[in-house]
């Protein structure tokens, strides 16, 4: 019997310039470290559980508040602000109450390529990645193959 395909990731990298992003600067300006902590916690849960999205529900709010020792009301406000400034896709959230974004989906696909996964779990109804993004994905695959082919010393 085959092992079920894993959806989430065990590890994800962070860009060192993430705090230079104007959206993150706005989040920090409005909510200080609590804002970044909530955003980072939600990203971690997205990548850990489904890989590319998570449901914005009372359970997520409670788990986030409990983990960060802040109020549920503050967590809701921060997530809603993240949607407002497009850290999470407003379009997808309004249709599905799921939190995702183009960068989240791109990163998940790239991580799936690097880890040589056969299944990439981004449901079609929340798919944000366009053909242009797929071209970037193909270039990433080519680069990965070139690195693998390089002689090791």
């Amino acid at each position: 019997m085959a092992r079920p395909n894993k959806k989430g990731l065990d590890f994800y990298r962070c860009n060192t310039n993430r705090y230079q992003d104007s959206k993150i600067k706005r989040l920090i300006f409005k909510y200080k470290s609590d804002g970044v902590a909530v955003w980072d916690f939600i990203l971690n849960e997205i990548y850990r559980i489904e890989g590319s999205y998570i449901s914005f529900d009372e359970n997520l709010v409670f788990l986030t508040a409990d983990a960060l020792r802040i109020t549920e009301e503050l967590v809701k406000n921060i997530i809603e602000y993240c949607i407002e400034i497009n850290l999470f896709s407003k379009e997808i959230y309004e249709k599905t109450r799921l939190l995702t974004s183009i960068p989240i989906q791109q990163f998940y696909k790239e991580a799936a390529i690097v880890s040589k996964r056969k299944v990439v779990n981004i449901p079609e109804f929340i798919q944000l990645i366009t053909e242009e993004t797929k071209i970037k994905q193909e270039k990433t695959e080519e680069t990965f193959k070139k690195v693998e082919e390089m002689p090791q010393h």
Side-chain angles (χ1 to χ4, degrees), residues 92-110:
I92 297 298
Y93 171 74
E94 287 175 349
K95 290 179 185 174
T96 64
R97 296 207 34 97
L98 297 176
L99 302 176
T100 190
S101 68
I102 291 173
I104 289 168
Q105 292 182 10
Q106 285 174 323
F107 175 77
Y108 178 65
K109 278 198 169 193
E110 289 170 9

Side-chain angles (χ1 to χ4, degrees), residues 106 128-139:
Q106 285 174 323
L128 292 168
I129 301 175
T130 63
E131 283 302 311
E132 181 180 302
T133 308
K134 290 179 183 175
I135 291 168
K136 180 182 177 191
Q137 176 185 345
E138 289 168 5
K139 287 181 180 177

Side-chain angles (χ1 to χ4, degrees), residues 7 50-53 108 119-123:
K7 293 178 183 178
E50 291 292 339
S52 63
Y53 65 92
Y108 178 65
V119 177
V120 178
N121 184 38
I122 302 177

Side-chain angles (χ1 to χ4, degrees), residues 7 16 24 30 39 47 49-50 56 71 76 91 98 101 104 131 151:
K7 293 178 183 178
T16 57
I24 300 301
K30 184 161 184 163
W39 175 72
Y47 293 134
I49 298 169
E50 291 292 339
F56 180 24
T71 67
K76 282 183 190 177
E91 172 190 355
L98 297 176
S101 68
I104 289 168
E131 283 302 311

